[in-house]
Amino acid sequence: MDVILCSGCSCALDLCITALARRGQNILIPRPGFSIYRTLAEGLGINVKSYELRPELGWEIDLDNLESQIDESTAAIIINNPSNPCGSVFSRDHTLDILDVAARYYIPIIADEIYEHMVFPGRTFHSLASLSREVPILSCSGLTKRFLVPGWRMGWIIIHDRQNVLEKEIRKALQCLSQRIIGSNTLIQGALPAILKNTPQEFYDDVMKTLHDHSRAAYNCVMKIPGLKPIVPDGAMYMMVYIDLPCFPEFNSDLEFVQRLLMEESVFCLPGQCFDYPSYMRLVITVPVDMLEEACQRIQEFCERHHYKTAENTLRNNLATVDIPY
């Protein structure tokens, strides 16, 4: 069996980690990365080691750092492309370089590709399995992100093992594990052929155009805000923003920054700490554009109040307009 249905992509990731790794072994996960990787692994007694992504290169993997994390206890590498939280999309050459590392060390890959259809114009998604005949790859994906309906809970694992590297036990383990929850959403299973067949291409095109427009609007706004540096996303539904914390002396961390932002402006962003990447925050760009623009405006007002230079200038200007009695 090469396709296993799961209750969403998170369930697919859970089954892959459980089947491939044993207690005391380790898996490699991206930093910054989706927090569920660590949660699932450590809950099973599996160790987690992080490899670095490089913001200055559009969040490409630091391949030397990735290679340095591999040891005799490494059971799998998780690759998330397109990325949550970064919104990055790897080039074909970079994807091949990743596969080369995995092939040299005989490490299977768990490919989290839930955002595979969320790629902005000018970029192309290259699945890991489409470029490799050597490395065994468990590709995890699902319906919910493409159709923007989280409650459907329909995901899957596709086993790509052209060299029969994975033992029969791995396939059997995945099949048995998938039966613990009596399978995925049966209503959506029944509707799946119609969903895939009858959804017009215009729907997908409109979703991508909307997300791309939102990403540009958010980037153009945030890049003008003192103390913040957004990184242009190439896909998915997120944008990472660097917080130059020394410019905001009231706050000791990204967590304090976003907490005060929520309290003062009712704008909620996830702190970089959620993705093991301090001094950043993640914006979600799926909200209606008028709400997105208002949120960005509120972030700007918040930063101008707390940025040490703009706050000093405001105070100085206010004092200059005050009539001082003699």
Side-chain angles (χ1 to χ4, degrees):
M1 179 178 295
D2 292 324
V3 179
I4 296 172
L5 298 182
C6 308
S7 180
C9 188
S10 295
C11 176
L13 293 166
D14 186 13
L15 303 193
C16 290
I17 293 170
T18 305
L20 284 178
R22 300 188 303 274
R23 179 179 294 272
Q25 290 186 306
N26 67 69
I27 62 170
L28 308 188
I29 66 172
R31 178 180 179 272
F34 189 29
S35 59
I36 198 172
Y37 307 141
R38 180 180 296 276
T39 301
L40 293 173
E42 293 183 345
L44 296 168
I46 298 164
N47 299 319
V48 170
K49 301 175 72 176
S50 299
Y51 60 85
E52 300 292 330
L53 306 184
R54 302 178 64 182
E56 74 277 10
L57 294 178
W59 300 109
E60 285 189 351
I61 295 173
D62 184 331
L63 295 171
D64 291 336
N65 180 258
L66 171 65
E67 192 167 353
S68 72
Q69 301 303 314
I70 298 173
D71 60 30
E72 64 278 0
S73 297
T74 301
I77 303 171
I78 294 183
I79 304 293
N80 178 208
N81 177 47
S83 167
N84 174 14
C86 303
S88 55
V89 180
F90 294 152
S91 68
R92 185 177 188 276
D93 287 344
H94 188 60
T95 305
L96 287 170
D97 289 340
I98 296 166
L99 288 165
D100 182 61
V101 173
R104 280 189 281 117
Y105 289 90
Y106 304 98
I107 307 292
I109 290 176
I110 300 172
D112 180 357
E113 297 176 336
I114 185 65
Y115 297 100
E116 60 184 311
H117 298 288
M118 286 189 164
V119 177
F120 298 157
R123 297 306 300 261
T124 302
F125 167 72
H126 300 279
S127 69
L128 285 155
S130 70
L131 298 178
S132 176
R133 298 194 62 84
E134 296 179 78
V135 180
I137 297 166
L138 301 180
S139 298
C140 301
S141 192
L143 288 184
T144 57
K145 296 299 188 294
R146 188 180 191 189
F147 291 90
L148 305 179
V149 189
W152 278 357
R153 305 309 303 156
M154 168 63 73
W156 52 78
I157 303 165
I158 302 177
I159 303 172
H160 301 276
D161 186 21
R162 296 180 176 90
Q163 304 299 323
N164 293 316
V165 174
L166 299 178
E167 300 176 1
K168 292 182 180 179
E169 285 76 8
I170 299 296
R171 291 174 180 265
K172 183 177 180 180
L174 290 170
Q175 184 177 359
C176 291
L177 287 166
S178 71
Q179 295 168 351
R180 290 188 305 173
I181 59 168
I182 322 300
S184 59
N185 188 321
T186 52
L187 291 176
I188 303 304
Q189 285 189 51
L192 183 57
I195 291 170
L196 296 176
K197 179 180 178 182
N198 298 333
T199 302
Q201 183 62 40
E202 290 79 9
F203 169 81
Y204 307 122
D205 295 341
D206 182 62
V207 169
M208 282 301 94
K209 182 180 185 305
T210 298
L211 289 175
H212 187 221
D213 290 347
H214 286 198
S215 72
R216 289 186 297 180
Y219 177 82
N220 290 336
C221 179
V222 176
M223 69 179 296
K224 301 173 185 176
I225 299 176
L228 300 185
K229 181 182 178 182
I231 299 177
V232 181
D234 291 317
M237 54 179 70
Y238 313 106
M239 183 170 71
M240 287 287 274
V241 178
Y242 173 68
I243 308 168
D244 190 357
L245 285 171
C247 293
F248 303 98
E250 296 173 67
F251 311 122
N252 295 316
S253 68
D254 52 286
L255 178 59
E256 290 185 15
F257 183 95
V258 300
Q259 285 176 330
R260 285 285 293 277
L261 176 62
L262 178 60
M263 290 173 59
E264 295 183 20
E265 297 291 346
S266 298
V267 175
F268 177 63
C269 304
L270 277 181
Q273 292 183 25
C274 291
F275 310 101
D276 194 24
Y277 214 72
S279 298
Y280 279 78
M281 63 180 179
R282 188 195 72 174
L283 308 187
V284 178
I285 60 173
T286 55
V287 298
V289 69
D290 56 334
M291 294 179 64
L292 184 65
E293 290 173 349
E294 180 179 351
C296 289
Q297 181 61 39
R298 293 187 184 193
I299 293 172
Q300 180 170 348
E301 292 171 1
F302 174 84
C303 289
E304 288 176 349
R305 280 200 308 275
H306 295 284
H307 190 280
Y308 76 98
K309 283 188 177 180
T310 53
E312 286 178 359
N313 290 339
T314 301
L315 178 61
R316 190 177 300 111
N317 292 336
N318 289 341
L319 289 174
T321 60
V322 174
D323 291 330
I324 301 176
Y326 292 96

